[in-house]
Amino acid sequence: MLSKPIFKQTLKANFKLWFIFTLIMTALHIVLIAVFNPSTLSDMSNMVKDTPLANLLGEATFLGMLSKTFYGIQGVLLPIVFIIMTANSLIASQVDRGSMAYLLSTPTKRSTVVLTQAAYLILSLILMILIVTLAGLVSISVFQADIQVDTTNYLMLNLGLFLLMFATSGISFFFSCVFNLSKNSLAWGAGLPMAFFLLKLMGDVDSSLEGLKYVSMNSLFDTSAIIDGGNVAVPFAVLAVIGIALYLFGMRVFKEKDLPL
């Protein structure tokens, strides 16, 4: 069962952070959609030709370029930072500060508290990606009316981004439930997602380091496969399973562990 008072309190405490990151992501997405016209794509391809960045930018098509920039860098890094900050504040930070002891001194069960916090994090990500997607669709119709954009592939990119962020949030939320100190929660809950991001980025930039990206969970969000019409059902399912499992494990650990109350 969810607690409406706890959810409202969590929403109020974290709304400003969520709004700032959502606004930045949306604005950046709109700008990239607006500037990626045929002449810009050609100029960028010529500029990075025979450089490591050529591997990063990929094909000089609208969705190809967008998939390697926004869906490969900015659109991944920004929500990761949001997730790290929010997940830590939902559980570990409250235990560390002692506010969790006050909350659990009421008749509210641990299971209710942790389920409500998990629901907030998941719903905040759903709403964030949904807003970015809707803004992107409107921007495409306005700025890219002269070119043919595969809407299905665009929506699949956003679905893949959400599933990656869902799995990433599972990592951060799990460690927030495991540790009673914020420094430990952040060390693992931030360290793994950032390591995955950097390993994937390094593998994309330098072909000699391509093997690194397969160590990263982020490689399950294969934007090239989406653009090329490949089968992404299995990696998407794996991301969903990772996220669900980590949330469930995290909630179970929190309900059973000793707390400094």
Side-chain angles (χ1 to χ4, degrees):
M1 292 290 292
L2 298 178
S3 169
K4 289 184 179 179
I6 295 175
F7 189 88
K8 289 180 180 179
Q9 181 184 7
T10 303
L11 177 63
K12 183 178 179 179
N14 293 277
F15 178 78
K16 185 176 181 180
L17 183 69
W18 174 87
F19 179 78
I20 291 172
F21 274 90
T22 302
L23 182 63
I24 294 173
M25 276 189 69
T26 304
L28 181 60
H29 194 43
I30 292 172
V31 169
L32 289 175
I33 289 173
V35 301
F36 281 164
N37 54 54
S39 61
T40 303
L41 295 176
S42 179
D43 291 342
M44 291 181 67
S45 296
N46 291 331
M47 287 175 59
V48 301
K49 186 177 181 180
D50 299 325
T51 69
L53 290 178
N55 295 326
L56 181 62
L57 293 180
E59 298 179 10
T61 62
F62 170 71
L63 281 184
M65 195 73 74
L66 199 62
S67 70
K68 295 299 183 181
T69 52
F70 183 80
Y71 293 101
I73 305 176
Q74 304 97 332
V76 175
L77 182 58
L78 285 171
I80 284 178
V81 176
F82 166 76
I83 287 167
I84 291 169
M85 297 173 67
T86 304
N88 180 70
S89 70
L90 293 178
I91 302 294
S93 178
Q94 293 192 46
V95 175
D96 200 357
R97 297 196 316 265
S99 57
M100 185 63 73
Y102 172 78
L103 182 61
L104 294 178
S105 65
T106 66
T108 307
K109 297 180 180 179
R110 285 195 193 188
S111 58
T112 299
V113 172
V114 72
L115 181 60
T116 303
Q117 302 295 58
Y120 168 77
L121 183 53
I122 295 170
L123 289 173
S124 68
L125 288 173
I126 291 175
L127 190 56
M128 177 185 287
I129 302 300
L130 181 60
I131 290 173
V132 170
T133 303
L134 293 176
L137 288 171
V138 173
S139 300
I140 289 172
S141 66
V142 173
F143 298 111
Q144 303 296 341
D146 296 333
I147 65 174
Q148 186 71 29
V149 178
D150 191 323
T151 304
T152 300
N153 283 347
Y154 174 75
L155 293 175
M156 289 297 291
L157 284 170
N158 286 280
L159 174 61
L161 178 61
F162 166 72
L163 290 173
L164 176 61
M165 292 305 104
F166 174 64
T168 302
S169 67
I171 294 173
S172 297
F173 189 80
F174 172 78
F175 286 115
S176 185
C177 292
V178 169
F179 295 109
N180 294 330
L181 297 177
S182 284
K183 63 179 182 180
N184 295 331
S185 169
L186 288 172
W188 288 93
L192 278 180
M194 291 304 297
F196 286 155
F197 171 77
L198 292 174
L199 287 171
K200 175 67 163 54
L201 183 62
M202 291 168 63
D204 287 339
V205 172
D206 192 340
S207 58
S208 66
L209 300 175
E210 186 176 5
L212 291 177
K213 68 181 182 181
Y214 297 110
V215 181
S216 169
M217 180 186 72
N218 294 36
S219 63
L220 293 170
F221 177 37
D222 189 346
T223 57
S224 296
I226 295 173
I227 299 300
D228 296 335
N231 188 354
V232 294
V234 172
F236 277 16
V238 172
L239 286 172
V241 170
I242 290 173
I244 293 171
L246 287 171
Y247 271 103
L248 292 177
F249 287 147
M251 288 187 282
R252 181 174 181 177
V253 169
F254 179 78
K255 288 187 292 184
E256 297 179 355
K257 74 174 184 176
D258 293 329
L259 289 172
L261 302 178

